[in-house]
Amino acid sequence: IITFGFLVVSNDGEYPAISNADQVTSIASALAGVENGSKPLELHIPRFRTNSIQQTNPLSSASNKLIVNLSPDCDVRVGSVVSVVGLVGSLTVSAVSLPVYGNGSFVDGGVWNQSAGALVVSVGGGGLRAFEEYE
């Protein structure tokens, strides 16, 4: 139960809308893929439920493709960024638009930082839905 007070201002003056003694009950429901997300001041720290990474070739100095699978625990809006870190030791030079292929959920190019071993991609398509798998 949340207790609060505020004033409604009209052309005729100020009128108390809810006194400090009144109580308002919040009905919580799912919002943005988060259980009880509509509850006032509810805070959710997004995480990926499933995250795995695989490669197509273990041989040195050979072309290699990394496959990353993710499943967010809440909805992720278009334009949000996802960082994949810890990819140190790659010979691929830094690039502002490294090709990224997927199922249309990410933009086609990611920012690759060779020395940091980090790839940053932007969410595209219709965004990511909670608890769905993305590659």
Side-chain angles (χ1 to χ4, degrees), residues 2 4-5 16-17 21 36 42 51 81-82 87 94 104 112 116-117 124-125 133 135:
I2 299 171
F4 64 92
N36 296 324
E42 181 75 9
N51 50 8
V81 295
V82 175
L87 304 174
S94 295
W112 167 247
E133 297 277 337
E135 180 178 286

Side-chain angles (χ1 to χ4, degrees), residues 20-129:
N20 288 335
D22 293 334
Q23 293 183 342
V24 176
T25 302
S26 171
I27 300 172
S29 60
L31 180 64
V34 176
E35 185 177 341
N36 296 324
S38 68
K39 186 177 175 183
L41 303 178
E42 181 75 9
L43 179 64
H44 176 77
I45 299 171
R47 301 195 189 295
F48 288 105
R49 297 177 333 112
T50 302
N51 50 8
S52 65
I53 187 167
Q54 301 168 353
Q55 65 180 357
T56 59
N57 190 343
L59 303 177
S60 64
S61 298
S63 181
N64 195 8
K65 178 180 171 183
L66 299 181
I67 302 164
V68 179
N69 292 295
L70 303 170
S71 176
D73 68 352
C74 64
D75 294 345
V76 181
R77 293 181 178 177
V78 172
S80 297
V81 295
V82 175
S83 298
V84 180
V85 297
L87 304 174
V88 294
S90 172
L91 297 178
T92 303
V93 296
S94 295
V96 294
S97 187
L98 184 74
V100 174
Y101 308 98
N103 54 9
S105 300
F106 298 96
V107 297
D108 291 337
V111 177
W112 167 247
N113 183 317
Q114 180 184 19
S115 62
L119 176 66
V120 178
V121 295
S122 295
V123 175
L128 307 180
R129 301 289 301 163

Side-chain angles (χ1 to χ4, degrees), residues 3-14:
T3 303
F4 64 92
F6 60 92
L7 294 176
V8 175
V9 179
S10 70
N11 291 338
D12 298 333
E14 295 180 356

